[in-house]
Amino acid sequence: MSAYSLMRHNPYLQLHLCVLLWGCTAILGKLITLAAIPLVFWRVLIVSLCLVSWRPLWRRLAGVPRRDLWLAAGNGLVITVHWLFFYGAVKVANASVAATCLALAPVFLALFEPLLLKRAFNRRNLLIGVLALPGVALVVGGIPQGMLAGFLLGTLAALLAALFSSLNKGLAERMPALPLTMIQMASGTLLLALLIPLWPLFGAESAFRWPGPGDLGWLLLLALACTLLPFALIVIVLRRLSAFSVQLAVNLEPVYAIALAALLLDETAELHWPFYLGVALILAAVLGHAAWQRRCAEC
């Protein structure tokens, strides 16, 4: 069997390809020389143009309540600001630190989802937050002082990722996946386009400039290979694998990103051993919590 056939018929390989591609987003954020705001603007713009130009998606929006369209647009702003903080963390610190902060998203999700969905707090969800704290302390102690601002930005990105995930659950059940993404990416593009005159106030080197050939190539790779492709692929994977299997693999995204950063960017020289021990503790808390949740659900 060829590698293509194996990938086409094996949902687990497809799933881990998605996670690997998502792990590459932090690496690409480091390679792209643009500041965080123009980087995110070009990412959402390219994805939006690809989706908006596909006419069948517009037909699939017919019948979607206007309220859901506005909610989708609002959640698109949440994911856009999440990316601004995430790539801000990449620029201020490095890809490894930003990716590690993403591992905190399931912790925030476990703590905040009861508030968003108006449910009672679950002791298991509170426990994951407590178990992750030593890992967070070790991560902070294992990075240089100058990267602490990047860690803060990455933590805010993780919080917004959890918020986006919680808000998107209901929308994803009521709206087709790709049209939902189209609305979200378009709303993010519109927000950043309206704020172009203010970009310099937030650290962008100029109000607007076209990306150079090198940056444009990386941006196309980020938008097409690391955004559109895994999104389309994950929809196929979700039809064949349980939500638990998918979430467990997605939680490993920081591992892929940190390994790629060490291999391609040589970031191990910038970080100390407590950082990697802290990453291991955070991931152990996240993955252990997921396994515990599934076991309790099956009881």
Side-chain angles (χ1 to χ4, degrees):
M1 182 180 292
S2 67
Y4 171 76
S5 298
L6 186 63
M7 177 63 69
R8 183 181 177 186
H9 295 97
N10 191 317
Y12 289 100
L13 288 180
Q14 294 170 350
L15 172 59
H16 283 277
L17 175 61
C18 290
V19 179
L20 176 62
L21 291 172
W22 284 324
C24 289
T25 60
I27 309 302
L28 290 171
K30 198 70 175 178
L31 294 174
I32 295 169
T33 62
L34 297 175
I37 295 176
L39 188 161
V40 175
F41 170 74
W42 286 107
R43 180 184 188 179
V44 295
L45 175 63
I46 293 169
V47 175
S48 296
L49 290 176
C50 291
L51 292 174
V52 168
S53 62
W54 192 14
R55 288 188 177 275
L57 293 187
W58 288 96
R59 290 196 294 269
R60 296 180 68 184
L61 282 175
V64 175
R66 183 171 297 182
R67 179 176 179 274
D68 283 347
L69 293 176
W70 282 110
L71 288 173
N75 211 22
L77 302 184
V78 173
I79 194 63
T80 300
V81 178
H82 154 75
W83 280 334
L84 291 176
F85 281 129
F86 176 72
Y87 288 110
V90 171
K91 300 295 182 180
V92 173
N94 61 26
S96 297
V97 171
T100 297
C101 293
L102 279 188
L104 295 172
V107 178
F108 287 124
L109 186 61
L111 294 175
F112 294 156
E113 199 170 55
L115 294 174
L116 295 172
L117 300 180
K118 298 180 180 179
R119 296 174 181 169
F121 272 102
N122 187 304
R123 285 182 294 179
R124 292 192 299 272
N125 291 346
L126 294 174
L127 182 61
I128 184 180
V130 173
L131 293 177
L133 285 177
V136 172
L138 284 168
V139 166
V140 171
I143 61 178
Q145 191 76 17
M147 291 188 181
L148 291 178
F151 179 80
L152 176 60
L153 289 172
T155 302
L156 291 173
L159 189 154
L160 288 172
L163 178 62
F164 173 81
S165 179
S166 294
L167 296 175
N168 223 39
K169 280 186 177 181
L171 283 171
E173 293 173 357
R174 299 191 300 270
M175 289 182 64
L178 285 176
L180 172 60
T181 302
M182 179 178 71
I183 296 296
Q184 291 171 339
M185 294 300 98
S187 71
T189 302
L190 180 61
L191 170 69
L192 295 181
L194 291 174
L195 294 178
I196 283 177
L198 303 179
W199 283 7
L201 299 178
F202 297 96
E205 60 277 6
S206 62
F208 182 86
R209 71 179 175 89
W210 293 95
D215 280 340
L216 182 59
W218 293 127
L219 283 166
L220 288 172
L221 190 63
L222 175 63
L224 302 179
C226 297
T227 306
L228 275 179
L229 175 59
F231 186 86
L233 200 54
I234 202 69
V235 173
I236 298 171
V237 168
L238 282 167
R239 294 172 185 159
R240 303 178 63 186
L241 297 179
S242 68
F244 173 80
S245 298
V246 173
Q247 189 57 54
L248 201 62
V250 170
N251 287 341
L252 292 174
E253 180 188 340
V255 176
Y256 285 89
I258 292 170
L260 288 169
L263 181 65
L264 302 175
L265 304 176
D266 194 26
E267 291 187 352
T268 53
E270 302 175 311
L271 304 167
H272 310 301
W273 67 265
F275 170 83
Y276 294 100
L277 180 57
V279 172
L281 290 177
I282 292 171
L283 287 171
V286 169
L287 298 177
H289 175 264
W292 190 11
Q293 289 280 72
R294 186 188 190 190
R295 182 178 179 182
C296 291
E298 293 174 347
C299 292

